Amino acid sequence: MATPKRGKRQTRFGTADFTFETDQGFESKLMKSGAIRALVATKVGEMAGRMIKAAPRGPHVTTDAYSVKKNIHPYVDQVGDEWVGYIAIEENDRARHAMLQERGYRDPAGRRHAGRFYLRSVLQSERVE
């Protein structure tokens, strides 16, 4: 019995005439597709929404433009062969310090202010174990 030549080989799987071609790299084609981008954008947007909801509003009397809630933005970018979702916190340099609110800080008088851990709680709720 002769062994088949190396290279493009086709094997049929399923019932709807689906052809699985082993040399095409279907995983990378799938990860580059628009459907995966939409899925990543949806999930990143949902997580950013939960972070915005959990973030402290802050004592802004005249404007709310510099609060943490107004400075959390989701982004989706293609890195190599995959779509990656990012959540940028505090791009505006005049915004309140989100990480000080998160981890806690000492004021100039030396008093300790406890952290709120609102970002960590959202990330932990998204964790898959």
Side-chain angles (χ1 to χ4, degrees):
M1 178 171 180
T3 59
K5 293 182 180 179
R6 291 188 158 256
K8 189 174 183 180
R9 289 173 273 163
Q10 296 182 351
T11 308
R12 290 215 180 269
F13 291 103
T15 57
D17 295 328
F18 173 74
T19 303
F20 177 78
E21 297 177 1
T22 57
D23 294 337
Q24 289 293 316
F26 77 96
E27 296 96 345
S28 60
K29 286 184 179 181
L30 177 68
M31 294 306 286
K32 289 180 184 178
S33 70
I36 296 296
R37 184 190 188 286
L39 178 68
V40 170
T42 301
K43 287 298 185 182
V44 170
E46 289 173 359
M47 186 184 297
R50 283 192 291 278
M51 285 182 177
I52 290 169
K53 187 175 179 181
R57 184 174 177 275
H60 301 287
V61 178
T62 58
T63 180
D64 203 28
Y66 302 128
S67 71
V68 176
K69 283 183 178 284
K70 299 288 183 180
N71 288 287
I72 296 176
H73 305 287
Y75 296 101
V76 177
D77 193 16
Q78 188 170 11
V79 177
D81 291 339
E82 298 176 346
W83 292 104
V84 178
Y86 298 101
I87 298 177
I89 299 173
E90 210 175 86
E91 285 182 323
N92 185 352
D93 58 349
R94 296 186 64 192
R96 292 178 66 208
H97 300 291
M99 294 313 291
L100 290 179
Q101 292 288 321
E102 173 74 9
R103 309 264 332 249
Y105 63 98
R106 289 192 184 275
D107 63 11
R111 291 184 303 265
R112 173 80 180 137
H113 296 270
R116 297 185 181 185
F117 299 106
Y118 59 95
L119 298 173
R120 187 175 118 191
S121 64
V122 172
L123 291 173
Q124 282 182 340
S125 70
E126 292 293 318
R127 184 178 58 202
V128 177
E129 291 183 10

